[in-house]
Amino acid sequence: MCIMDPVAEIHFYGWWALVYIQKQFSNYSEWMLFLSKLGDPRYAFLIYFPVAFCLSRSRGTQVLWVACSAEWLNAVLKLILHGDRPYWWVGETYKYKEKAELETMLPTQYNLTCETGPGSPSGHAMVTSAVFFVLVKGILDSRQKHQRIMQAALWTSFAAIILAVDISRVFIATHFPHQVIMGTLIGIGIGAIINMDVVASLRSKHYLLGTMVAVGGCMLTYYALLSLGYDPLWSIPMAHKWCATSTWVHPDTSLFFAVIRDISCLAGFGFSVYIFEKKSSEEKPGSVHIMSKILQIVSSLCVTLMSENIKLPRDSDAIFYGAAFIKFFLMVLVLVVQIPAVFDRCASKSNCTKKKNS
């Protein structure tokens, strides 16, 4: 009797669950791809953070910290746990089989399948659950009426969205079920731990310390794995080897790109806080009209979505990651300093005009 080790057994049954999900939702592949994009960690920085920041600066700050913390911890855990992704696990596990038989066992791949980082835990599930948890909690904290009805509606919506994102990640064969479950639970934990009042009161020195900890933690993990004889970049050759289409392998899905995004966003926000600290208390913004907030949200989203279309140079890894750092650093600086300054100035002029007229 052949006894399978626990890890192999988890992957084996996870693979069968994946095959079942692909069959059940085979006619809804476009929806699955949309849901997978919805849970992309990059949207925490491109959409959820700017919208939250425009509506409430303290809540937006919390969203940024939660997104950076979840994505950074996800990268560290992926390096340590060394988890396989389904689309290459099947090939590596059954590569001794005949080619024709192996091809029938390989799951269907899509243009979002071939991510280059290790698979455990799921970054999509981890970051999305952390950010959405904070957003739901923020809405509930700001609303006192009909609290029970709103709580039930929002938490049900939260659970439905996270479940849909998790299923979509399994459907496109980029994660096993246990990887998305693990990511979801850790993400909710991060969202619950990071307190809005604490992060809203942080000064520029705390952001500098956070950036240094993020850099040091990743470097320590990376070189510790090297010293133990593990290759931290082992998953990249796997992605190139087993991806059905080479153009589906994107360098911005690597762990280092995610870490660079986290570090640059924290550094950019910290520099923005430093600028605010240098301003006098008279320059701090007061209440903002709802129409001004809407225009600010539109302006911020235009900046983030335009920045996403900037193609980074790929002449070398150093240039690629250096350009990524500069891009996200400047993006956060524009969102946090420049755009609010323009609207605060307009609001001040409007108030002055009203006072003169009265």
Side-chain angles (χ1 to χ4, degrees):
M1 180 179 178
C2 179
I3 300 176
M4 197 180 299
D5 71 84
V7 175
E9 193 167 359
I10 290 172
H11 285 90
F12 179 76
Y13 287 110
W15 172 65
W16 277 110
L18 184 156
V19 171
Y20 176 79
I21 289 173
Q22 284 199 340
K23 287 181 179 178
Q24 293 300 311
F25 295 97
S26 59
N27 295 327
Y28 303 97
S29 60
E30 292 301 320
W31 274 105
M32 290 291 113
L33 290 170
F34 168 77
L35 290 169
S36 187
K37 287 181 180 178
L38 178 69
D40 195 323
R42 75 182 69 198
Y43 291 127
F45 302 91
L46 299 177
I47 296 178
Y48 309 135
F49 160 62
V51 171
F53 187 80
C54 292
L55 294 174
S56 167
R57 297 192 180 188
S58 56
R59 187 66 65 184
T61 304
Q62 185 189 21
V63 169
L64 182 71
W65 268 100
V66 164
C68 289
S69 301
E71 189 171 54
W72 177 84
L73 181 59
N74 179 261
V76 172
L77 289 175
K78 280 181 174 177
L79 284 172
I80 295 172
L81 296 178
H82 214 72
D84 287 303
R85 291 188 184 272
Y87 74 93
W88 74 58
W89 177 85
V90 178
E92 288 295 309
T93 303
Y94 299 103
K95 59 186 176 184
Y96 58 84
K97 290 185 176 291
E98 293 292 334
K99 183 179 179 182
E101 186 180 0
L102 176 59
E103 286 178 352
T104 62
M105 300 176 68
L106 293 173
T108 304
Q109 294 185 21
Y110 300 89
N111 62 334
L112 299 180
T113 296
C114 304
E115 296 194 5
T116 58
S120 188
S122 166
H124 281 60
M126 197 162 161
V127 176
T128 303
S129 59
V131 170
F132 275 42
F133 182 91
V134 166
L135 293 176
V136 169
K137 194 170 181 300
I139 295 172
L140 291 175
D141 289 345
S142 63
R143 296 283 186 273
Q144 298 301 324
K145 294 181 179 180
H146 310 296
Q147 190 76 347
R148 289 184 179 178
I149 297 174
M150 186 169 286
Q151 274 188 352
L154 287 176
W155 288 122
T156 301
S157 300
F158 168 81
I161 291 172
I162 299 304
L163 180 62
V165 170
D166 288 357
I167 291 174
S168 74
R169 299 300 288 165
V170 176
F171 174 84
I172 66 172
T174 200
H175 283 296
F176 288 101
H178 74 276
Q179 295 172 342
V180 295
I181 293 171
M182 186 191 305
T184 298
L185 295 177
I186 297 174
I188 291 173
I190 292 172
I193 290 170
I194 296 182
N195 185 278
M196 182 182 74
D197 295 331
V198 173
V199 297
S201 62
L202 295 178
R203 306 186 62 131
S204 56
K205 61 182 180 182
H206 299 120
Y207 284 88
L208 176 61
L209 178 62
T211 303
M212 292 172 63
V213 168
V215 174
C218 279
M219 290 182 64
L220 181 63
T221 305
Y222 180 86
Y223 286 108
L225 289 172
L226 280 179
S227 66
L228 293 172
Y230 294 100
D231 178 12
L233 304 178
W234 67 278
S235 60
I236 297 177
M238 287 292 185
H240 285 281
K241 179 180 179 181
W242 292 105
C243 188
T245 304
S246 60
T247 55
W248 290 352
V249 181
H250 302 291
D252 59 358
T253 62
S254 68
L255 294 184
F256 289 105
F257 187 86
V259 171
I260 288 294
R261 177 165 55 204
D262 303 330
I263 292 169
S264 57
C265 286
L266 277 182
F269 202 97
F271 188 68
S272 303
V273 172
Y274 174 78
I275 293 173
F276 289 139
E277 290 170 353
K278 291 297 182 182
K279 290 183 177 181
S280 65
S281 58
E282 298 173 0
E283 297 177 49
K284 290 181 181 178
S287 58
V288 182
H289 191 271
I290 185 63
M291 185 54 67
S292 179
K293 285 188 176 183
I294 292 173
L295 292 174
Q296 192 170 333
I297 289 173
V298 172
S299 302
S300 298
L301 292 178
C302 286
V303 169
T304 57
L305 297 177
M306 285 173 62
S307 70
E308 184 65 5
N309 291 324
I310 296 175
K311 301 298 181 185
L312 300 176
R314 298 183 181 178
D315 300 331
S316 68
D317 288 343
I319 294 175
F320 176 76
Y321 291 122
F325 180 91
I326 294 172
K327 182 179 88 166
F328 288 111
F329 182 92
L330 293 178
M331 184 190 79
V332 171
L333 202 62
V334 171
L335 293 179
V336 178
V337 178
Q338 296 301 324
I339 292 178
V342 170
F343 283 90
D344 290 340
R345 217 173 288 126
C346 292
S348 299
K349 288 182 180 180
S350 177
N351 290 334
C352 290
T353 303
K354 288 180 181 178
K355 287 179 180 180
K356 287 180 181 179
N357 293 335
S358 60

